[in-house]
Amino acid sequence: MDLHGRKALVTGAAGGIGRAIVNRLLTGGAEVVAADREIDDSSNGRSATHWIIGDLLDPTYADQLPINAAQELGGLDLVVNNAGVITRGSVTETSDADWSLSVGVNLEAPFRVCRAAIPMA
């Protein structure tokens, strides 16, 4: 896939799947902003064009992430909402904190990122 000249944002970029997505985009010729809570120390994880470190549970970070990525890259063509969490256990064992984490990262953050990115298209 030829992605030369494309500018991409990938959330959850420090993990295994996120790192693979970043590397595939780079191999295709895209410039990539990798977003995660911390930078992966492996050489594969550091291959992104730029890193924007932060917590998707922070509404301001999630709302501004596409805008900041576009500023770093000079535009934004692709968004990959890869970040995700899972908590295991029965409903009766699920804490409010587990619920908030799951909904925040898996539902609210992608909504916020898309809401900010779509007007830039």
PDB file of all heavy atoms in Angstrom, residues 21-64:
ATOM      1  N   ILE A  21       1.272  -1.332  13.739  1.00  0.00           N
ATOM      2  CA  ILE A  21       0.550  -0.397  12.869  1.00  0.00           C
ATOM      3  C   ILE A  21       1.458   0.762  12.481  1.00  0.00           C
ATOM      4  O   ILE A  21       1.525   1.144  11.301  1.00  0.00           O
ATOM      5  CB  ILE A  21      -0.738   0.107  13.556  1.00  0.00           C
ATOM      6  CG1 ILE A  21      -1.740  -1.034  13.717  1.00  0.00           C
ATOM      7  CG2 ILE A  21      -1.354   1.262  12.772  1.00  0.00           C
ATOM      8  CD1 ILE A  21      -2.903  -0.710  14.643  1.00  0.00           C
ATOM      9  N   VAL A  22       2.142   1.342  13.466  1.00  0.00           N
ATOM     10  CA  VAL A  22       3.066   2.444  13.183  1.00  0.00           C
ATOM     11  C   VAL A  22       4.110   2.003  12.168  1.00  0.00           C
ATOM     12  O   VAL A  22       4.369   2.699  11.170  1.00  0.00           O
ATOM     13  CB  VAL A  22       3.746   2.952  14.482  1.00  0.00           C
ATOM     14  CG1 VAL A  22       4.915   3.876  14.165  1.00  0.00           C
ATOM     15  CG2 VAL A  22       2.733   3.650  15.377  1.00  0.00           C
ATOM     16  N   ASN A  23       4.710   0.852  12.382  1.00  0.00           N
ATOM     17  CA  ASN A  23       5.757   0.380  11.483  1.00  0.00           C
ATOM     18  C   ASN A  23       5.225   0.124  10.074  1.00  0.00           C
ATOM     19  O   ASN A  23       5.893   0.427   9.086  1.00  0.00           O
ATOM     20  CB  ASN A  23       6.431  -0.863  12.043  1.00  0.00           C
ATOM     21  CG  ASN A  23       7.319  -0.538  13.228  1.00  0.00           C
ATOM     22  OD1 ASN A  23       7.798   0.583  13.367  1.00  0.00           O
ATOM     23  ND2 ASN A  23       7.519  -1.508  14.098  1.00  0.00           N
ATOM     24  N   ARG A  24       4.006  -0.397   9.975  1.00  0.00           N
ATOM     25  CA  ARG A  24       3.412  -0.639   8.646  1.00  0.00           C
ATOM     26  C   ARG A  24       3.141   0.672   7.930  1.00  0.00           C
ATOM     27  O   ARG A  24       3.383   0.809   6.728  1.00  0.00           O
ATOM     28  CB  ARG A  24       2.122  -1.460   8.790  1.00  0.00           C
ATOM     29  CG  ARG A  24       1.418  -1.705   7.476  1.00  0.00           C
ATOM     30  CD  ARG A  24       2.328  -2.500   6.515  1.00  0.00           C
ATOM     31  NE  ARG A  24       1.717  -2.617   5.227  1.00  0.00           N
ATOM     32  CZ  ARG A  24       2.007  -1.831   4.175  1.00  0.00           C
ATOM     33  NH1 ARG A  24       2.905  -0.870   4.280  1.00  0.00           N
ATOM     34  NH2 ARG A  24       1.408  -2.007   3.028  1.00  0.00           N
ATOM     35  N   LEU A  25       2.619   1.651   8.655  1.00  0.00           N
ATOM     36  CA  LEU A  25       2.376   2.958   8.054  1.00  0.00           C
ATOM     37  C   LEU A  25       3.680   3.587   7.579  1.00  0.00           C
ATOM     38  O   LEU A  25       3.756   4.135   6.479  1.00  0.00           O
ATOM     39  CB  LEU A  25       1.666   3.882   9.043  1.00  0.00           C
ATOM     40  CG  LEU A  25       0.206   3.534   9.358  1.00  0.00           C
ATOM     41  CD1 LEU A  25      -0.283   4.333  10.571  1.00  0.00           C
ATOM     42  CD2 LEU A  25      -0.685   3.784   8.154  1.00  0.00           C
ATOM     43  N   LEU A  26       4.721   3.500   8.405  1.00  0.00           N
ATOM     44  CA  LEU A  26       6.027   4.045   8.025  1.00  0.00           C
ATOM     45  C   LEU A  26       6.597   3.321   6.810  1.00  0.00           C
ATOM     46  O   LEU A  26       7.134   3.952   5.899  1.00  0.00           O
ATOM     47  CB  LEU A  26       7.000   3.958   9.202  1.00  0.00           C
ATOM     48  CG  LEU A  26       6.708   4.892  10.374  1.00  0.00           C
ATOM     49  CD1 LEU A  26       7.538   4.489  11.579  1.00  0.00           C
ATOM     50  CD2 LEU A  26       6.956   6.338   9.999  1.00  0.00           C
ATOM     51  N   THR A  27       6.472   2.002   6.780  1.00  0.00           N
ATOM     52  CA  THR A  27       6.947   1.214   5.643  1.00  0.00           C
ATOM     53  C   THR A  27       6.235   1.629   4.358  1.00  0.00           C
ATOM     54  O   THR A  27       6.835   1.655   3.292  1.00  0.00           O
ATOM     55  CB  THR A  27       6.730  -0.292   5.902  1.00  0.00           C
ATOM     56  OG1 THR A  27       7.468  -0.663   7.067  1.00  0.00           O
ATOM     57  CG2 THR A  27       7.172  -1.140   4.735  1.00  0.00           C
ATOM     58  N   GLY A  28       4.965   1.992   4.485  1.00  0.00           N
ATOM     59  CA  GLY A  28       4.197   2.439   3.331  1.00  0.00           C
ATOM     60  C   GLY A  28       4.504   3.862   2.916  1.00  0.00           C
ATOM     61  O   GLY A  28       3.996   4.342   1.900  1.00  0.00           O
ATOM     62  N   GLY A  29       5.313   4.574   3.705  1.00  0.00           N
ATOM     63  CA  GLY A  29       5.721   5.916   3.343  1.00  0.00           C
ATOM     64  C   GLY A  29       5.028   7.031   4.096  1.00  0.00           C
ATOM     65  O   GLY A  29       5.272   8.210   3.824  1.00  0.00           O
ATOM     66  N   ALA A  30       4.164   6.706   5.042  1.00  0.00           N
ATOM     67  CA  ALA A  30       3.449   7.740   5.808  1.00  0.00           C
ATOM     68  C   ALA A  30       4.356   8.358   6.860  1.00  0.00           C
ATOM     69  O   ALA A  30       5.320   7.739   7.315  1.00  0.00           O
ATOM     70  CB  ALA A  30       2.222   7.138   6.482  1.00  0.00           C
ATOM     71  N   GLU A  31       4.014   9.579   7.245  1.00  0.00           N
ATOM     72  CA  GLU A  31       4.577  10.200   8.430  1.00  0.00           C
ATOM     73  C   GLU A  31       3.602   9.891   9.560  1.00  0.00           C
ATOM     74  O   GLU A  31       2.389   9.951   9.356  1.00  0.00           O
ATOM     75  CB  GLU A  31       4.692  11.713   8.264  1.00  0.00           C
ATOM     76  CG  GLU A  31       5.690  12.149   7.221  1.00  0.00           C
ATOM     77  CD  GLU A  31       5.709  13.649   7.118  1.00  0.00           C
ATOM     78  OE1 GLU A  31       6.194  14.305   8.062  1.00  0.00           O
ATOM     79  OE2 GLU A  31       5.208  14.154   6.099  1.00  0.00           O
ATOM     80  N   VAL A  32       4.117   9.574  10.742  1.00  0.00           N
ATOM     81  CA  VAL A  32       3.263   9.079  11.812  1.00  0.00           C
ATOM     82  C   VAL A  32       3.508   9.804  13.123  1.00  0.00           C
ATOM     83  O   VAL A  32       4.652   9.954  13.550  1.00  0.00           O
ATOM     84  CB  VAL A  32       3.475   7.562  12.035  1.00  0.00           C
ATOM     85  CG1 VAL A  32       2.579   7.041  13.147  1.00  0.00           C
ATOM     86  CG2 VAL A  32       3.239   6.786  10.742  1.00  0.00           C
ATOM     87  N   VAL A  33       2.412  10.229  13.756  1.00  0.00           N
ATOM     88  CA  VAL A  33       2.441  10.653  15.149  1.00  0.00           C
ATOM     89  C   VAL A  33       1.955   9.469  15.958  1.00  0.00           C
ATOM     90  O   VAL A  33       0.850   8.952  15.739  1.00  0.00           O
ATOM     91  CB  VAL A  33       1.553  11.878  15.412  1.00  0.00           C
ATOM     92  CG1 VAL A  33       1.328  12.075  16.906  1.00  0.00           C
ATOM     93  CG2 VAL A  33       2.174  13.124  14.827  1.00  0.00           C
ATOM     94  N   ALA A  34       2.781   9.005  16.869  1.00  0.00           N
ATOM     95  CA  ALA A  34       2.442   7.915  17.764  1.00  0.00           C
ATOM     96  C   ALA A  34       2.008   8.514  19.097  1.00  0.00           C
ATOM     97  O   ALA A  34       2.683   9.390  19.633  1.00  0.00           O
ATOM     98  CB  ALA A  34       3.653   7.009  17.967  1.00  0.00           C
ATOM     99  N   ALA A  35       0.876   8.070  19.602  1.00  0.00           N
ATOM    100  CA  ALA A  35       0.357   8.580  20.870  1.00  0.00           C
ATOM    101  C   ALA A  35       0.213   7.430  21.861  1.00  0.00           C
ATOM    102  O   ALA A  35      -0.301   6.365  21.516  1.00  0.00           O
ATOM    103  CB  ALA A  35      -0.995   9.259  20.652  1.00  0.00           C
ATOM    104  N   ASP A  36       0.683   7.670  23.071  1.00  0.00           N
ATOM    105  CA  ASP A  36       0.545   6.673  24.133  1.00  0.00           C
ATOM    106  C   ASP A  36       0.886   7.345  25.453  1.00  0.00           C
ATOM    107  O   ASP A  36       1.286   8.509  25.481  1.00  0.00           O
ATOM    108  CB  ASP A  36       1.467   5.476  23.885  1.00  0.00           C
ATOM    109  CG  ASP A  36       0.857   4.173  24.405  1.00  0.00           C
ATOM    110  OD1 ASP A  36       0.428   4.140  25.584  1.00  0.00           O
ATOM    111  OD2 ASP A  36       0.810   3.191  23.658  1.00  0.00           O
ATOM    112  N   ARG A  37       0.746   6.583  26.544  1.00  0.00           N
ATOM    113  CA  ARG A  37       1.071   7.120  27.871  1.00  0.00           C
ATOM    114  C   ARG A  37       2.563   7.258  28.079  1.00  0.00           C
ATOM    115  O   ARG A  37       3.023   8.036  28.909  1.00  0.00           O
ATOM    116  CB  ARG A  37       0.486   6.221  28.959  1.00  0.00           C
ATOM    117  CG  ARG A  37      -1.033   6.257  28.998  1.00  0.00           C
ATOM    118  CD  ARG A  37      -1.557   5.317  30.022  1.00  0.00           C
ATOM    119  NE  ARG A  37      -1.232   3.950  29.580  1.00  0.00           N
ATOM    120  CZ  ARG A  37      -1.556   2.855  30.217  1.00  0.00           C
ATOM    121  NH1 ARG A  37      -2.196   2.930  31.365  1.00  0.00           N
ATOM    122  NH2 ARG A  37      -1.257   1.675  29.744  1.00  0.00           N
ATOM    123  N   GLU A  38       3.350   6.480  27.338  1.00  0.00           N
ATOM    124  CA  GLU A  38       4.802   6.543  27.442  1.00  0.00           C
ATOM    125  C   GLU A  38       5.395   6.046  26.142  1.00  0.00           C
ATOM    126  O   GLU A  38       4.735   5.351  25.365  1.00  0.00           O
ATOM    127  CB  GLU A  38       5.318   5.719  28.615  1.00  0.00           C
ATOM    128  CG  GLU A  38       4.884   4.274  28.580  1.00  0.00           C
ATOM    129  CD  GLU A  38       5.185   3.530  29.872  1.00  0.00           C
ATOM    130  OE1 GLU A  38       5.051   4.134  30.944  1.00  0.00           O
ATOM    131  OE2 GLU A  38       5.563   2.363  29.774  1.00  0.00           O
ATOM    132  N   ILE A  39       6.635   6.392  25.887  1.00  0.00           N
ATOM    133  CA  ILE A  39       7.326   5.944  24.688  1.00  0.00           C
ATOM    134  C   ILE A  39       7.881   4.560  24.940  1.00  0.00           C
ATOM    135  O   ILE A  39       8.489   4.301  25.974  1.00  0.00           O
ATOM    136  CB  ILE A  39       8.472   6.907  24.321  1.00  0.00           C
ATOM    137  CG1 ILE A  39       7.903   8.271  23.943  1.00  0.00           C
ATOM    138  CG2 ILE A  39       9.312   6.344  23.184  1.00  0.00           C
ATOM    139  CD1 ILE A  39       8.970   9.306  23.671  1.00  0.00           C
ATOM    140  N   ASP A  40       7.691   3.672  23.987  1.00  0.00           N
ATOM    141  CA  ASP A  40       8.269   2.337  24.046  1.00  0.00           C
ATOM    142  C   ASP A  40       9.776   2.477  23.836  1.00  0.00           C
ATOM    143  O   ASP A  40      10.218   3.166  22.917  1.00  0.00           O
ATOM    144  CB  ASP A  40       7.643   1.480  22.947  1.00  0.00           C
ATOM    145  CG  ASP A  40       8.133   0.054  22.959  1.00  0.00           C
ATOM    146  OD1 ASP A  40       9.174  -0.238  23.564  1.00  0.00           O
ATOM    147  OD2 ASP A  40       7.461  -0.783  22.352  1.00  0.00           O
ATOM    148  N   ASP A  41      10.571   1.830  24.660  1.00  0.00           N
ATOM    149  CA  ASP A  41      12.023   1.947  24.571  1.00  0.00           C
ATOM    150  C   ASP A  41      12.646   1.132  23.444  1.00  0.00           C
ATOM    151  O   ASP A  41      13.814   1.303  23.133  1.00  0.00           O
ATOM    152  CB  ASP A  41      12.674   1.519  25.892  1.00  0.00           C
ATOM    153  CG  ASP A  41      12.448   2.545  26.985  1.00  0.00           C
ATOM    154  OD1 ASP A  41      12.240   3.726  26.659  1.00  0.00           O
ATOM    155  OD2 ASP A  41      12.471   2.155  28.166  1.00  0.00           O
ATOM    156  N   SER A  42      11.891   0.243  22.821  1.00  0.00           N
ATOM    157  CA  SER A  42      12.468  -0.573  21.742  1.00  0.00           C
ATOM    158  C   SER A  42      12.665   0.284  20.493  1.00  0.00           C
ATOM    159  O   SER A  42      11.988   1.273  20.283  1.00  0.00           O
ATOM    160  CB  SER A  42      11.561  -1.758  21.431  1.00  0.00           C
ATOM    161  OG  SER A  42      10.411  -1.318  20.735  1.00  0.00           O
ATOM    162  N   SER A  43      13.567  -0.121  19.656  1.00  0.00           N
ATOM    163  CA  SER A  43      13.829   0.644  18.431  1.00  0.00           C
ATOM    164  C   SER A  43      12.604   0.657  17.527  1.00  0.00           C
ATOM    165  O   SER A  43      12.354   1.628  16.824  1.00  0.00           O
ATOM    166  CB  SER A  43      15.034   0.057  17.690  1.00  0.00           C
ATOM    167  OG  SER A  43      14.778  -1.280  17.325  1.00  0.00           O
ATOM    168  N   ASN A  44      11.817  -0.399  17.533  1.00  0.00           N
ATOM    169  CA  ASN A  44      10.601  -0.426  16.719  1.00  0.00           C
ATOM    170  C   ASN A  44       9.609   0.625  17.192  1.00  0.00           C
ATOM    171  O   ASN A  44       8.946   1.253  16.384  1.00  0.00           O
ATOM    172  CB  ASN A  44       9.945  -1.804  16.765  1.00  0.00           C
ATOM    173  CG  ASN A  44      10.723  -2.832  15.983  1.00  0.00           C
ATOM    174  OD1 ASN A  44      11.495  -2.483  15.102  1.00  0.00           O
ATOM    175  ND2 ASN A  44      10.545  -4.091  16.310  1.00  0.00           N
ATOM    176  N   GLY A  45       9.477   0.797  18.484  1.00  0.00           N
ATOM    177  CA  GLY A  45       8.527   1.752  19.009  1.00  0.00           C
ATOM    178  C   GLY A  45       8.958   3.196  18.824  1.00  0.00           C
ATOM    179  O   GLY A  45       8.144   4.089  18.804  1.00  0.00           O
ATOM    180  N   ARG A  46      10.253   3.413  18.669  1.00  0.00           N
ATOM    181  CA  ARG A  46      10.760   4.780  18.524  1.00  0.00           C
ATOM    182  C   ARG A  46      10.839   5.202  17.064  1.00  0.00           C
ATOM    183  O   ARG A  46      11.347   6.263  16.750  1.00  0.00           O
ATOM    184  CB  ARG A  46      12.140   4.901  19.164  1.00  0.00           C
ATOM    185  CG  ARG A  46      12.052   4.802  20.652  1.00  0.00           C
ATOM    186  CD  ARG A  46      13.392   5.077  21.280  1.00  0.00           C
ATOM    187  NE  ARG A  46      13.142   5.359  22.666  1.00  0.00           N
ATOM    188  CZ  ARG A  46      13.316   6.548  23.226  1.00  0.00           C
ATOM    189  NH1 ARG A  46      13.747   7.545  22.548  1.00  0.00           N
ATOM    190  NH2 ARG A  46      13.040   6.719  24.496  1.00  0.00           N
ATOM    191  N   SER A  47      10.331   4.396  16.160  1.00  0.00           N
ATOM    192  CA  SER A  47      10.481   4.710  14.747  1.00  0.00           C
ATOM    193  C   SER A  47       9.443   5.697  14.242  1.00  0.00           C
ATOM    194  O   SER A  47       9.525   6.140  13.106  1.00  0.00           O
ATOM    195  CB  SER A  47      10.411   3.415  13.923  1.00  0.00           C
ATOM    196  OG  SER A  47       9.179   2.755  14.152  1.00  0.00           O
ATOM    197  N   ALA A  48       8.477   6.070  15.040  1.00  0.00           N
ATOM    198  CA  ALA A  48       7.469   7.034  14.615  1.00  0.00           C
ATOM    199  C   ALA A  48       8.113   8.381  14.323  1.00  0.00           C
ATOM    200  O   ALA A  48       9.158   8.716  14.873  1.00  0.00           O
ATOM    201  CB  ALA A  48       6.391   7.187  15.684  1.00  0.00           C
ATOM    202  N   THR A  49       7.482   9.142  13.460  1.00  0.00           N
ATOM    203  CA  THR A  49       7.975  10.466  13.119  1.00  0.00           C
ATOM    204  C   THR A  49       7.961  11.374  14.347  1.00  0.00           C
ATOM    205  O   THR A  49       8.896  12.134  14.584  1.00  0.00           O
ATOM    206  CB  THR A  49       7.106  11.067  11.996  1.00  0.00           C
ATOM    207  OG1 THR A  49       7.008  10.119  10.927  1.00  0.00           O
ATOM    208  CG2 THR A  49       7.699  12.351  11.467  1.00  0.00           C
ATOM    209  N   HIS A  50       6.893  11.313  15.132  1.00  0.00           N
ATOM    210  CA  HIS A  50       6.732  12.128  16.339  1.00  0.00           C
ATOM    211  C   HIS A  50       5.994  11.303  17.395  1.00  0.00           C
ATOM    212  O   HIS A  50       5.213  10.420  17.056  1.00  0.00           O
ATOM    213  CB  HIS A  50       5.899  13.381  16.069  1.00  0.00           C
ATOM    214  CG  HIS A  50       6.451  14.260  15.009  1.00  0.00           C
ATOM    215  ND1 HIS A  50       7.454  15.163  15.245  1.00  0.00           N
ATOM    216  CD2 HIS A  50       6.135  14.380  13.701  1.00  0.00           C
ATOM    217  CE1 HIS A  50       7.745  15.801  14.128  1.00  0.00           C
ATOM    218  NE2 HIS A  50       6.957  15.350  13.169  1.00  0.00           N
ATOM    219  N   TRP A  51       6.204  11.653  18.648  1.00  0.00           N
ATOM    220  CA  TRP A  51       5.443  11.082  19.760  1.00  0.00           C
ATOM    221  C   TRP A  51       4.701  12.196  20.478  1.00  0.00           C
ATOM    222  O   TRP A  51       5.266  13.278  20.693  1.00  0.00           O
ATOM    223  CB  TRP A  51       6.365  10.395  20.770  1.00  0.00           C
ATOM    224  CG  TRP A  51       6.796   9.023  20.344  1.00  0.00           C
ATOM    225  CD1 TRP A  51       7.873   8.708  19.575  1.00  0.00           C
ATOM    226  CD2 TRP A  51       6.143   7.795  20.649  1.00  0.00           C
ATOM    227  NE1 TRP A  51       7.937   7.363  19.397  1.00  0.00           N
ATOM    228  CE2 TRP A  51       6.887   6.770  20.042  1.00  0.00           C
ATOM    229  CE3 TRP A  51       5.005   7.460  21.376  1.00  0.00           C
ATOM    230  CZ2 TRP A  51       6.524   5.431  20.130  1.00  0.00           C
ATOM    231  CZ3 TRP A  51       4.656   6.133  21.469  1.00  0.00           C
ATOM    232  CH2 TRP A  51       5.409   5.136  20.857  1.00  0.00           C
ATOM    233  N   ILE A  52       3.459  11.937  20.854  1.00  0.00           N
ATOM    234  CA  ILE A  52       2.714  12.834  21.729  1.00  0.00           C
ATOM    235  C   ILE A  52       2.288  11.996  22.930  1.00  0.00           C
ATOM    236  O   ILE A  52       1.445  11.104  22.809  1.00  0.00           O
ATOM    237  CB  ILE A  52       1.493  13.461  21.040  1.00  0.00           C
ATOM    238  CG1 ILE A  52       1.936  14.295  19.825  1.00  0.00           C
ATOM    239  CG2 ILE A  52       0.718  14.326  22.034  1.00  0.00           C
ATOM    240  CD1 ILE A  52       0.788  14.901  19.037  1.00  0.00           C
ATOM    241  N   ILE A  53       2.908  12.251  24.047  1.00  0.00           N
ATOM    242  CA  ILE A  53       2.683  11.465  25.257  1.00  0.00           C
ATOM    243  C   ILE A  53       1.525  12.067  26.046  1.00  0.00           C
ATOM    244  O   ILE A  53       1.434  13.284  26.208  1.00  0.00           O
ATOM    245  CB  ILE A  53       3.957  11.441  26.126  1.00  0.00           C
ATOM    246  CG1 ILE A  53       5.153  10.943  25.298  1.00  0.00           C
ATOM    247  CG2 ILE A  53       3.759  10.593  27.374  1.00  0.00           C
ATOM    248  CD1 ILE A  53       4.947   9.609  24.641  1.00  0.00           C
ATOM    249  N   GLY A  54       0.647  11.202  26.546  1.00  0.00           N
ATOM    250  CA  GLY A  54      -0.465  11.661  27.367  1.00  0.00           C
ATOM    251  C   GLY A  54      -1.422  10.533  27.684  1.00  0.00           C
ATOM    252  O   GLY A  54      -1.234   9.396  27.258  1.00  0.00           O
ATOM    253  N   ASP A  55      -2.455  10.867  28.418  1.00  0.00           N
ATOM    254  CA  ASP A  55      -3.427   9.897  28.906  1.00  0.00           C
ATOM    255  C   ASP A  55      -4.772  10.152  28.236  1.00  0.00           C
ATOM    256  O   ASP A  55      -5.360  11.229  28.396  1.00  0.00           O
ATOM    257  CB  ASP A  55      -3.554  10.038  30.426  1.00  0.00           C
ATOM    258  CG  ASP A  55      -4.411   8.968  31.055  1.00  0.00           C
ATOM    259  OD1 ASP A  55      -5.116   8.233  30.333  1.00  0.00           O
ATOM    260  OD2 ASP A  55      -4.386   8.871  32.297  1.00  0.00           O
ATOM    261  N   LEU A  56      -5.258   9.182  27.487  1.00  0.00           N
ATOM    262  CA  LEU A  56      -6.547   9.322  26.803  1.00  0.00           C
ATOM    263  C   LEU A  56      -7.717   9.513  27.753  1.00  0.00           C
ATOM    264  O   LEU A  56      -8.794   9.927  27.334  1.00  0.00           O
ATOM    265  CB  LEU A  56      -6.805   8.125  25.892  1.00  0.00           C
ATOM    266  CG  LEU A  56      -5.978   8.091  24.616  1.00  0.00           C
ATOM    267  CD1 LEU A  56      -6.135   6.742  23.917  1.00  0.00           C
ATOM    268  CD2 LEU A  56      -6.346   9.239  23.690  1.00  0.00           C
ATOM    269  N   LEU A  57      -7.527   9.232  29.038  1.00  0.00           N
ATOM    270  CA  LEU A  57      -8.586   9.486  30.018  1.00  0.00           C
ATOM    271  C   LEU A  57      -8.706  10.975  30.337  1.00  0.00           C
ATOM    272  O   LEU A  57      -9.710  11.402  30.915  1.00  0.00           O
ATOM    273  CB  LEU A  57      -8.333   8.705  31.310  1.00  0.00           C
ATOM    274  CG  LEU A  57      -8.435   7.187  31.183  1.00  0.00           C
ATOM    275  CD1 LEU A  57      -8.030   6.529  32.498  1.00  0.00           C
ATOM    276  CD2 LEU A  57      -9.817   6.755  30.755  1.00  0.00           C
ATOM    277  N   ASP A  58      -7.723  11.751  29.931  1.00  0.00           N
ATOM    278  CA  ASP A  58      -7.760  13.202  30.107  1.00  0.00           C
ATOM    279  C   ASP A  58      -8.517  13.793  28.910  1.00  0.00           C
ATOM    280  O   ASP A  58      -8.016  13.754  27.781  1.00  0.00           O
ATOM    281  CB  ASP A  58      -6.337  13.746  30.169  1.00  0.00           C
ATOM    282  CG  ASP A  58      -6.262  15.261  30.233  1.00  0.00           C
ATOM    283  OD1 ASP A  58      -7.303  15.951  30.139  1.00  0.00           O
ATOM    284  OD2 ASP A  58      -5.134  15.772  30.361  1.00  0.00           O
ATOM    285  N   PRO A  59      -9.715  14.333  29.124  1.00  0.00           N
ATOM    286  CA  PRO A  59     -10.505  14.855  28.002  1.00  0.00           C
ATOM    287  C   PRO A  59      -9.774  15.913  27.176  1.00  0.00           C
ATOM    288  O   PRO A  59      -9.908  15.943  25.950  1.00  0.00           O
ATOM    289  CB  PRO A  59     -11.746  15.454  28.675  1.00  0.00           C
ATOM    290  CG  PRO A  59     -11.845  14.764  29.985  1.00  0.00           C
ATOM    291  CD  PRO A  59     -10.433  14.456  30.398  1.00  0.00           C
ATOM    292  N   THR A  60      -8.998  16.758  27.811  1.00  0.00           N
ATOM    293  CA  THR A  60      -8.273  17.796  27.077  1.00  0.00           C
ATOM    294  C   THR A  60      -7.241  17.171  26.147  1.00  0.00           C
ATOM    295  O   THR A  60      -7.104  17.574  24.991  1.00  0.00           O
ATOM    296  CB  THR A  60      -7.602  18.786  28.051  1.00  0.00           C
ATOM    297  OG1 THR A  60      -8.618  19.368  28.867  1.00  0.00           O
ATOM    298  CG2 THR A  60      -6.852  19.869  27.313  1.00  0.00           C
ATOM    299  N   TYR A  61      -6.521  16.170  26.632  1.00  0.00           N
ATOM    300  CA  TYR A  61      -5.534  15.470  25.802  1.00  0.00           C
ATOM    301  C   TYR A  61      -6.221  14.828  24.600  1.00  0.00           C
ATOM    302  O   TYR A  61      -5.783  14.994  23.459  1.00  0.00           O
ATOM    303  CB  TYR A  61      -4.788  14.423  26.630  1.00  0.00           C
ATOM    304  CG  TYR A  61      -3.881  13.526  25.815  1.00  0.00           C
ATOM    305  CD1 TYR A  61      -2.641  13.977  25.377  1.00  0.00           C
ATOM    306  CD2 TYR A  61      -4.272  12.235  25.490  1.00  0.00           C
ATOM    307  CE1 TYR A  61      -1.810  13.162  24.627  1.00  0.00           C
ATOM    308  CE2 TYR A  61      -3.445  11.409  24.740  1.00  0.00           C
ATOM    309  CZ  TYR A  61      -2.220  11.870  24.313  1.00  0.00           C
ATOM    310  OH  TYR A  61      -1.395  11.067  23.562  1.00  0.00           O
ATOM    311  N   ALA A  62      -7.305  14.092  24.837  1.00  0.00           N
ATOM    312  CA  ALA A  62      -8.012  13.398  23.747  1.00  0.00           C
ATOM    313  C   ALA A  62      -8.589  14.388  22.746  1.00  0.00           C
ATOM    314  O   ALA A  62      -8.503  14.179  21.528  1.00  0.00           O
ATOM    315  CB  ALA A  62      -9.101  12.499  24.313  1.00  0.00           C
ATOM    316  N   ASP A  63      -9.183  15.475  23.238  1.00  0.00           N
ATOM    317  CA  ASP A  63      -9.766  16.486  22.358  1.00  0.00           C
ATOM    318  C   ASP A  63      -8.710  17.168  21.488  1.00  0.00           C
ATOM    319  O   ASP A  63      -8.984  17.525  20.337  1.00  0.00           O
ATOM    320  CB  ASP A  63     -10.496  17.564  23.167  1.00  0.00           C
ATOM    321  CG  ASP A  63     -11.791  17.080  23.796  1.00  0.00           C
ATOM    322  OD1 ASP A  63     -12.353  16.065  23.335  1.00  0.00           O
ATOM    323  OD2 ASP A  63     -12.250  17.727  24.766  1.00  0.00           O
ATOM    324  N   GLN A  64      -7.528  17.389  22.030  1.00  0.00           N
ATOM    325  CA  GLN A  64      -6.480  18.123  21.324  1.00  0.00           C
ATOM    326  C   GLN A  64      -5.540  17.231  20.511  1.00  0.00           C
ATOM    327  O   GLN A  64      -4.771  17.743  19.683  1.00  0.00           O
ATOM    328  CB  GLN A  64      -5.651  18.922  22.337  1.00  0.00           C
ATOM    329  CG  GLN A  64      -6.403  20.076  22.958  1.00  0.00           C
ATOM    330  CD  GLN A  64      -6.772  21.120  21.912  1.00  0.00           C
ATOM    331  OE1 GLN A  64      -5.961  21.535  21.101  1.00  0.00           O
ATOM    332  NE2 GLN A  64      -8.022  21.526  21.922  1.00  0.00           N
TER     333      GLN A  64
END
